Amino acid sequence: MARKSTFLLLTPGLFVTGAVFLSPFAFLALTSFWTQRPNSLLVDPAFTLVNYVRIATDMFFLRVLFHTIYLGVITVLVCLVLGLPIARWIARRAVVSRGILVVLIVTPMVSGAVVQTLGLVNLLSLLGVINGLLKQLGLIDRSIRFLGDELGVLIGLVQAFLPLMVLPLLNTMSKLPEDLESAARSLGAPAWRLWMLVILPLSMPGIIAGSVLVFFASVTSFVTPQILGQGRIQTFGTVMYQQSALVNDWPFASALAVTMMVLLGGLVLALRAIRQRLARRSNVAGAV
Amino acid sequence: MKNGLKSIALMGLGAALGSTSLMPAMAQDFSGQTLVVGVWGGDIERLLRENVIGPLEEETGANVELLLGGTGDRVAKIYAERANPTMDIAFLNIFEAPQALADGVVVAPDPDLQMYKDIWPGMNEGCYAMSLAALGIVYNKDEFESPPEWEDLWAPELQGRIALPPFPGSEANGILAIAGRLAGADEHDADASFDKLAELKPIPLTYTNLDELLLLTDAGEIAAAPIISGYAISGMENYENIGFSFPTDPGPVLTRDMLCLVANSPSPELAMLFAEKALGVVNQTAYANELYFGPTNSNVELEPAVSEMLIDTPEEVETLTELDWPYLIENRSAWTDRWNAEILAD
Amino acid sequence: MKLRRAAIDTVWIAWMAIGYIVVLMPIVVVFFASFSDGNTFRFPPSGFSLKWYQAAFESSEYRNALSVSLLVGILATLVSLTAGTLAAYALSRSTFRGKTMIETLLLAPLALPHIVWAIGLLQIYAWLSIGGTLLGLVLAHAALTLPFAVRIMLSTFSQLDKTLQDAATTLGASPMRVVVHIVLPLIWPGVLTSALFTFLTSFNEVTVSVLIAGSRYLTYPVRLYSELRSQGIDPTTIAISAMLVAMIIVFALIGERFLNWSRRV
């Protein structure tokens, strides 16, 4: 494609990102090197590293950031394990049920996080419906603590973000060439080899897109960890809320946000490097 | 350059003020003008529409628009927009108002105005006092035979079943100060306060909305929690097992909603008219009867049954615990770290 | 062999059911709770009534807020979908220095916590005097949702068979014809998916809107949130949520019957 038209096509996207995302971000990054005046919420624009020193020395914040990333990774894995079979079934098997299966998986995106999260509180509390049901079935004697526990937050994150995984997967998996699969099958390849060698590699664009969306959504989410974590689970979202909306320490909140962006950026670069190395190795293997 | 811009803006402001004060005859006609009021949604919004906005729009021809949100959002907004505000009136809380005044983002209350004088003396700190409430205890009736005192929250058999509000905030700072007083000190002794409060650990729930707190308290998962009167009292009418207590030793912690006029706002005169009506007898009586928010206007007279459920006289205010808010604000960042580490962590 | 096939299908469906149960659990609660005769959000509900549905239809405030959300959602979707599709096309069809950087930049808003970003944006808007305007809100939502559109369209274009386009071009089709007759039909599923993501994200966005939205363009989630911040959830909004979900399902089924849309997703 011609260089000129490439940049022309990129212009609207870059304008929106630059004007509405990048300029506040630059401002925020600048603020992170400032502090608030004593006994005031007004900012004192004198360069200082105080906020970053505080983040680096008080292990609380770094621990929260890493723990949030860990929760995000687990959420992605659970969404993949649940989402792949759903997307595959809708793409290949469902005929009459296709429309309803797609729309049902999208419903969490329709009715707002707050109402649904409070619905989950009703279900997951110690004396709630799920614990009652499990007891009635004789599966447990004592209530399981979902709320205020990682388990509850994880359930909430998966509930909220599974659609972000399934739709991109479906987008990719509906377009997989069927002849390749039938060829593999007629050669006697067992199902798991078919998945490992054909379906998963060809679905990679959807897997990556879905994983990126789910990961970032869960890492930055606030309502779900706040309400289901009941204050016992601290995440990036809850700490950001505390520092910016309750303490009103906007310079420090900005420094936290910048730190998290740097961590995530580093993670993305590392993953990209690994992927490139793997790709090179398989190319070499292919050549041999 | 920056100063140049500023002086142009000041000149503009001066011109605007000058021109309006030159036309006193037109003062009541605001057709086509818009007033923007930042306030909570729900019943407060409904009462303001009925008692303040409706009449005001009729009398002045102006258009009143509401910007809904929480106080933290409004603080963020009036500070971020202080060069070019879009909000004329912001409802803030007891400690945000004096801070906002000190930082120059709101207008100081004017002691010469009648609406200032109608309010009980000593309450217009930072902005105009709009309503009174107090930090008391919401509790499950099966757990307590009589309305609990603060000390009862520390009963060994309730350990792990006392919910707390998020820190910092008027509720969380309030219960921390109460803990300090129970330990024989007060809010100025951070160590004593934190140590005493930490005895309640583990904290089963940090509540961020009334629904989850009342739901879990009604079910008995939560035995009790410190919470501000008003909504908790009107809300608990929907639950069978929930009661509310105003403790006496020490008394409940005083909190106030404040009505603030935003500095350099687009429609300062309309804002004044809105404030007069909002602080007036009709609106404050409705606040009291329907929401159990205590009136600040000394001319409000309430039925005895209603008066019992809320804070409505200076004598009652005397029995409340008043906190040294400037000191608490000064320490809010450091104490937030302590709260996260000492109260929330297992 | 047939028996084995059926057994695999059963396990498969059971596994899928777990996903659907997790996703639908709270929505079922919302649905039942919306018919409650109590004044709070509780499940199981105490008794049956339609009063919250009646309240939902009578409230002009909720109606206004929902129409603002609809308007903002549609406009933001148009902006973000157009910008996102064009950018993804450019990125997938050419190589140039700094391409990775631009791709990362376009996706970066995903990683930013909305609350501090909104505070920064608020100051910029105040400086530009577009605080509280529809334009400001739509641009904010477009920036928030652009990464969704870019990400999904990138994966869509990466699957697009380029030989078809090359063939068409070789046979003398103009670039416009190639786009309209070859590219668009092939990327349609991706466009629909992106539109759905963008619209629904905008329709439900709270954190940024609560600071950026002006009094004249107050969205439905902001109204809901502001109530939650004071006295708690208004059961009317539970009835509205239930109706929104029901509406989407009904539309989807009708659309499926007549347009067979799900084939295209």
Side-chain angles (χ1 to χ4, degrees), chain A residues 105-146:
Chain A
I105 211 77
V106 182
T107 47
M109 296 184 69
V110 179
S111 76
V114 170
V115 172
Q116 291 180 71
T117 315
L118 285 174
L120 279 177
V121 171
N122 271 285
L123 286 174
L124 296 175
S125 65
L126 288 175
L127 301 169
V129 178
I130 297 217
N131 271 313
L133 200 68
L134 292 176
K135 275 185 208 158
Q136 208 123 58
L137 293 172
L139 292 173
I140 52 168
D141 298 326
R142 295 190 51 198
S143 289
I144 303 175
R145 185 178 249 299
F146 293 105

Side-chain angles (χ1 to χ4, degrees), chain B residues 130-186:
Chain B
M130 176 70 210
S131 58
L132 301 175
L135 185 77
I137 302 170
V138 67
Y139 63 96
N140 180 300
K141 284 182 191 162
D142 299 334
E143 301 290 344
F144 301 92
E145 280 165 14
S146 55
E149 282 293 327
W150 295 115
E151 190 66 57
D152 298 333
L153 300 183
W154 272 260
E157 65 271 19
L158 297 181
Q159 192 168 22
R161 289 177 58 211
I162 308 295
L164 291 181
F167 191 91
S170 35
E171 286 111 329
N173 278 111
I175 187 64
L176 187 63
I178 292 290
R181 279 164 209 234
L182 291 179
D186 66 10

Side-chain angles (χ1 to χ4, degrees), chain A residues 93 98 101 109 159 172 272, chain C residues 9 20 100 159 204 262:
Chain A
R93 301 290 302 276
R98 194 179 157 110
L101 285 177
M109 296 184 69
Q159 192 271 331
T172 313
R272 188 168 286 154
Chain C
D9 278 4
Y20 276 93
T100 328
Q159 273 187 315
N204 284 309
S262 71

Side-chain angles (χ1 to χ4, degrees), chain A:
Chain A
M1 190 189 283
R3 211 184 182 86
K4 206 172 135 196
S5 53
T6 300
F7 286 105
L8 213 60
L9 290 174
L10 282 170
T11 310
L14 287 178
F15 169 76
V16 171
T17 309
V20 194
F21 163 72
L22 214 53
S23 62
F25 179 72
F27 187 71
L28 189 150
L30 191 64
T31 314
S32 74
F33 293 103
W34 295 343
T35 48
Q36 279 174 331
R37 294 178 201 156
N39 300 325
S40 169
L41 295 183
L42 297 174
V43 171
D44 179 14
F47 180 88
T48 167
L49 287 172
V50 173
N51 295 321
Y52 289 99
V53 171
R54 183 171 159 210
I55 292 171
T57 50
D58 186 341
M59 283 314 287
F60 173 78
F61 296 106
L62 285 179
R63 231 185 2 247
V64 166
L65 295 188
F66 280 112
H67 191 238
T68 308
I69 293 177
Y70 161 81
L71 257 180
V73 171
I74 303 284
T75 308
V76 167
L77 292 179
V78 174
C79 284
L80 268 177
V81 167
L82 291 175
L84 276 167
I86 292 176
R88 171 75 179 173
W89 185 275
I90 298 177
R92 278 287 178 271
R93 301 290 302 276
V95 182
V96 187
S97 58
R98 194 179 157 110
I100 189 78
L101 285 177
V102 174
V103 77
L104 284 182
I105 211 77
V106 182
T107 47
M109 296 184 69
V110 179
S111 76
V114 170
V115 172
Q116 291 180 71
T117 315
L118 285 174
L120 279 177
V121 171
N122 271 285
L123 286 174
L124 296 175
S125 65
L126 288 175
L127 301 169
V129 178
I130 297 217
N131 271 313
L133 200 68
L134 292 176
K135 275 185 208 158
Q136 208 123 58
L137 293 172
L139 292 173
I140 52 168
D141 298 326
R142 295 190 51 198
S143 289
I144 303 175
R145 185 178 249 299
F146 293 105
L147 300 178
D149 192 274
E150 238 157 54
L151 183 60
V153 175
L154 191 64
I155 291 175
L157 291 174
V158 171
Q159 192 271 331
F161 301 135
L162 190 56
L164 304 190
M165 182 63 88
V166 172
L167 285 187
L169 282 180
L170 190 56
N171 184 18
T172 313
M173 294 176 96
S174 311
K175 283 176 280 177
L176 295 189
E178 267 176 90
D179 44 356
L180 206 61
E181 289 170 39
S182 43
R185 215 175 280 122
S186 67
L187 289 171
W192 67 269
R193 292 205 60 173
L194 185 68
W195 272 84
M196 294 310 288
L197 294 176
V198 181
I199 301 176
L200 285 182
L202 288 180
S203 310
M204 239 353 138
I207 293 177
I208 293 173
S211 301
V212 166
L213 297 183
V214 171
F215 177 74
F216 286 111
S218 64
V219 161
T220 53
S221 80
F222 160 63
V223 173
T224 306
Q226 176 85 26
I227 295 183
L228 298 178
Q230 302 200 317
R232 297 160 63 90
I233 308 292
Q234 304 280 349
T235 67
F236 180 49
T238 65
V239 169
M240 281 309 293
Y241 174 77
Q242 188 179 40
Q243 293 297 337
S244 57
L246 299 178
V247 183
N248 292 327
D249 190 345
W250 300 306
F252 182 66
S254 305
L256 266 179
V258 171
T259 308
M260 188 62 162
M261 298 269 303
V262 169
L263 278 181
L264 293 175
L267 195 74
V268 170
L269 287 181
L271 283 177
R272 188 168 286 154
I274 292 172
R275 211 169 68 199
Q276 272 164 4
R277 180 165 295 185
L278 284 180
R280 209 174 301 139
R281 192 176 296 165
S282 64
N283 278 348
V284 173
V288 173

Side-chain angles (χ1 to χ4, degrees), chain B residues 7 90 98 114 128 159 161 168 181 205 214 260 268-269 286 291:
Chain B
S7 61
Q114 190 56 42
Y128 296 94
Q159 192 168 22
R161 289 177 58 211
R181 279 164 209 234
L205 161 71
L214 295 184
C260 298
E269 292 205 338
L291 304 178

